[in-house]
Amino acid sequence: MVALLFMATAIKYIDRNVLSFTMIDEGFRREMLNVPESSPLTADLIGRFKVLMGYVDASFKFAYAIGFVLMGYFIDRVLVKKGYSIAIAIWSFAGIATAFVSSFRGLSITRFVFGFGESANFPAAIKTIAEWFPKKERSFATGIYNAGANVGIMATALIVPALIIHLGWRWSFLCTGVLGVMLLVCWRLIYRPLASHPQVSAEEQQYIESDHAPASNNTKVPWKNLLKTRGAWAIALGKFFTDPIWWFYLTWLPDFFNSNEALETKLDLTGLALPFIVIYFTSDLGSVFFGWLSGKFISMGWTVNKSRKVTLLLCALLVVPLIFAAKVANVHLAMVLVAIAAAAHQGWSANLFTLSSDIFPKRVVGSVVGLAGMVGGIGGTIFAAFAGIILVNWGYFPIFMMASASYLIALLIIHLLVPRIG
């Protein structure tokens, strides 16, 4: 199950990150701006392009926010196999349709639909992890499948620039969209619920269910009442402050290495593979390590409360040096600072997702993650809408300054809302 979720998350991120690499291609910029080959792409036009791309990104994230809560609720009702299948189909065909757009309006529409479908990934995955793993192993399992995001981004950095250079930017959307269709077939063939899986013995099922929460914590929580619980808001606000940072990396890092004024060396499409492999391989390690670390603390006798929050604190502190990345001249040093912050984010994300299954019964985990994802998506939408304007007028430093403080603020809010977990 972890391998299947890993593959699904990797393909989701390949489909998602095609645009971040395509947006630095001159042919794509000319197509979206309707500028002929005979006319130069002036600084004003490029600035306008970045502002409009910020709005396109906001469209994606707004749909992601809406979809997160609706898909979480939907998956809790129709169960994981059917709900996730529908979501994969939506995002895959929206990705393919992007190959045929010729304007910012068309791009906004396809990205909106894409974001709505893609929003089901984490509610489906977290619900599957809650079903298939005991509490002490969930953060590690979450860290492993969440690492698929970084593998997907690394694959995008290796494959998509070559597709754009040799075949054109439209083929990058066509080819990656087909991967989603292949994922849909695999999901339908492989996934089975725990209770009906033919290869799970009675002993394995007993082990998986060995540390269910006490009966008092298994009381059914109606979805509409989640808004009244402090635990749901702790997870939701944790994502509100930190999801926009990760999404900013996914959309704008190619542009950062291509155009940040402080960098002595600028990178084009052919030079982006190495920094992206380093950044997202490191963030893979962070996802797995901090997922493991939280579980290790529990096995050492720490409470769930202490183990999760100490791990979140370590992750938050590692993001702080990111503030210097926008000012350094050496591209390799900037790459290292971003890599450390990305690794910390993935460790943070693995443990924050796991909090939902620590605090709530399995039957509402999809809805909790959906609610939290919606709030995170709202934060991402607001951030994305202003990102292009900030970048054009003040550069990357204000963005990285906000990012360096966001995780510590989020952890403080989580602790105030939920002083004790478990």
Side-chain angles (χ1 to χ4, degrees):
M1 288 302 110
V2 171
L4 183 59
L5 293 174
F6 180 95
M7 178 179 70
T9 304
I11 291 175
K12 166 200 164 178
Y13 271 84
I14 292 173
D15 289 348
R16 181 174 181 172
N17 281 278
V18 174
L19 183 58
S20 65
F21 287 88
T22 305
M23 65 187 280
I24 67 172
D25 176 61
E26 182 177 321
F28 177 77
R29 290 180 173 183
R30 289 182 179 278
E31 184 78 37
M32 293 300 107
L33 290 168
N34 194 27
V35 175
E37 290 285 341
S38 58
S39 300
L41 277 177
T42 64
D44 287 343
L45 284 172
I46 292 174
R48 179 169 177 265
F49 174 85
K50 290 184 179 182
V51 171
L52 291 173
M53 281 304 303
Y55 296 151
V56 169
D57 196 34
S59 172
F60 164 82
K61 291 180 172 71
F62 179 66
Y64 197 85
I66 298 171
F68 226 126
V69 69
L70 294 178
M71 285 294 187
Y73 179 82
F74 180 62
I75 286 169
D76 276 340
R77 294 302 177 269
V78 305
L79 302 182
V80 174
K81 185 168 186 175
K82 181 179 179 180
Y84 197 32
S85 297
I86 293 171
I88 295 171
I90 291 171
W91 97 53
S92 299
F93 289 107
I96 292 171
T98 308
F100 301 97
V101 303
S102 299
S103 66
F104 278 107
R105 178 177 294 181
L107 186 62
S108 294
I109 292 171
T110 57
R111 293 304 284 181
F112 183 92
V113 177
F114 180 86
F116 185 81
E118 199 185 58
S119 64
N121 178 262
F122 286 111
I126 295 299
K127 192 172 180 70
T128 302
I129 293 295
E131 177 185 16
W132 275 87
F133 290 87
K135 185 178 292 187
K136 62 187 176 183
E137 295 181 359
R138 288 177 192 168
S139 64
F140 188 34
T142 301
I144 293 174
Y145 94 76
N146 198 37
N150 309 307
V151 170
I153 298 167
M154 287 187 285
T156 308
L158 288 171
I159 297 169
V160 170
L163 286 173
I164 294 171
I165 291 168
H166 296 291
L167 298 176
W169 65 267
R170 296 184 187 277
W171 280 95
S172 63
F173 289 102
L174 281 172
C175 294
T176 54
V178 169
L179 285 178
V181 177
M182 294 169 62
L183 169 63
L184 175 59
V185 174
C186 291
W187 178 259
R188 297 294 301 174
L189 292 175
I190 298 173
Y191 174 82
R192 295 287 185 279
L194 172 65
S196 61
H197 200 289
Q199 296 181 347
V200 176
S201 66
E203 291 79 12
E204 286 174 310
Q205 185 164 347
Q206 184 179 7
Y207 171 74
I208 290 169
E209 298 176 344
S210 62
D211 62 353
H212 277 181
S216 61
N217 288 335
N218 276 319
T219 303
K220 187 174 181 179
V221 180
W223 182 86
K224 64 180 181 180
N225 288 344
L226 290 178
L227 291 172
K228 302 176 183 178
T229 64
R230 295 168 68 91
W233 280 108
I235 298 166
L237 291 174
K239 291 183 70 61
F240 178 85
F241 281 95
T242 60
D243 273 11
I245 309 307
W246 178 250
W247 292 350
F248 179 82
Y249 299 155
L250 301 183
T251 302
W252 290 100
L253 275 187
D255 182 77
F256 168 74
F257 287 108
N258 179 254
S259 67
N260 185 44
E261 292 182 358
L263 294 175
E264 292 177 346
T265 303
K266 308 293 193 296
L267 303 179
D268 58 17
L269 277 172
T270 60
L272 287 173
L274 176 60
F276 272 74
I277 289 172
V278 171
I279 289 168
Y280 290 106
F281 179 74
T282 305
S283 60
D284 253 350
L285 296 179
S287 179
V288 175
F289 173 75
F290 287 110
W292 168 84
L293 183 64
S294 182
K296 178 65 175 177
F297 286 153
I298 293 175
S299 69
M300 291 166 53
W302 288 23
T303 63
V304 172
N305 183 68
K306 182 179 178 181
S307 65
R308 301 291 191 232
K309 288 179 180 175
V310 167
T311 306
L312 288 172
L313 176 61
L314 292 173
C315 294
L317 292 174
L318 285 172
V319 181
V320 174
L322 180 67
I323 193 172
F324 301 108
K327 292 297 184 181
V328 299
N330 187 287
V331 68
H332 297 101
L333 180 55
M335 177 178 66
V336 169
L337 291 170
V338 173
I340 293 171
H345 173 89
Q346 288 296 74
W348 169 280
S349 180
N351 281 276
L352 186 62
F353 273 130
T354 306
L355 286 182
S356 63
S357 57
D358 292 332
I359 298 172
F360 293 94
K362 290 189 294 184
R363 65 177 62 89
V364 295
V365 164
S367 294
V368 173
V369 174
L371 171 65
M374 180 192 71
V375 176
I378 291 171
T381 301
I382 296 169
F383 200 84
F386 290 98
I389 298 171
I390 294 171
L391 292 176
V392 170
N393 289 283
W394 299 286
Y396 279 88
F397 183 74
I399 300 284
F400 286 179
M401 182 174 64
M402 288 185 283
S404 67
S406 293
Y407 296 80
L408 290 171
I409 294 171
L411 180 56
L412 176 61
I413 292 172
I414 290 169
H415 181 66
L416 290 175
L417 288 173
V418 188
R420 184 168 299 278
I421 300 168

